[in-house]
Amino acid sequence: WFRHPQDFAEGLRDIIMAGGDADTAAAIYGGIVGSRVGKAGISDSWLSNIIEWPRSIDWIERLGAAVAESELADERAPGYFVPGVLLRNLFFLVIVLAHGFRRLAPPW
């Protein structure tokens, strides 16, 4: 964050190359510097590859705008297909469990 306060990509590369708990450190860096540089400071190729179904980049932007404009804590977030989150999570649960059980089978 101190070394690359305006260069989102370079800062992430440095954190990942440092090793260790890079995913947590990169998430923290992304939150801090991403809020500073905004969407314009993040590569379009990175943004276009985000798949967070049933949410989307458009939904995230609408959520950010609603939060920025809101003065009341009880305002509702923009809607999305809520059952889709359950479906997506069940899909990934099956993948994670299959991977875990596969690791129990020989060869170890």
Side-chain angles (χ1 to χ4, degrees):
W1 168 47
F2 286 116
R3 292 178 62 193
H4 303 287
Q6 298 293 339
D7 191 346
F8 189 79
E10 189 63 30
L12 281 179
R13 282 188 197 97
D14 279 1
I15 287 173
I16 292 167
M17 296 304 291
D21 194 11
D23 57 336
T24 302
I28 294 168
Y29 174 83
I32 294 170
V33 176
S35 65
R36 181 179 190 146
V37 299
K39 185 179 176 184
I42 302 171
S43 168
D44 287 335
S45 64
W46 287 11
L47 291 172
S48 65
N49 287 320
I50 293 177
I51 301 172
E52 178 58 24
W53 184 83
R55 301 174 194 106
S56 65
I57 295 295
D58 178 58
W59 181 85
I60 294 169
E61 289 175 342
R62 288 186 288 126
L63 176 63
V67 169
E69 295 171 3
S70 174
E71 295 182 10
L72 302 174
D74 61 345
E75 299 236 0
R76 297 181 55 102
Y80 59 91
F81 183 62
V82 175
V85 176
L86 178 62
L87 293 172
R88 183 198 62 196
N89 290 349
L90 286 173
F91 173 75
F92 283 113
L93 175 65
V94 169
I95 291 173
V96 169
L97 289 176
H99 178 73
F101 284 120
R102 168 57 189 100
R103 293 182 58 93
L104 293 174
W108 293 277

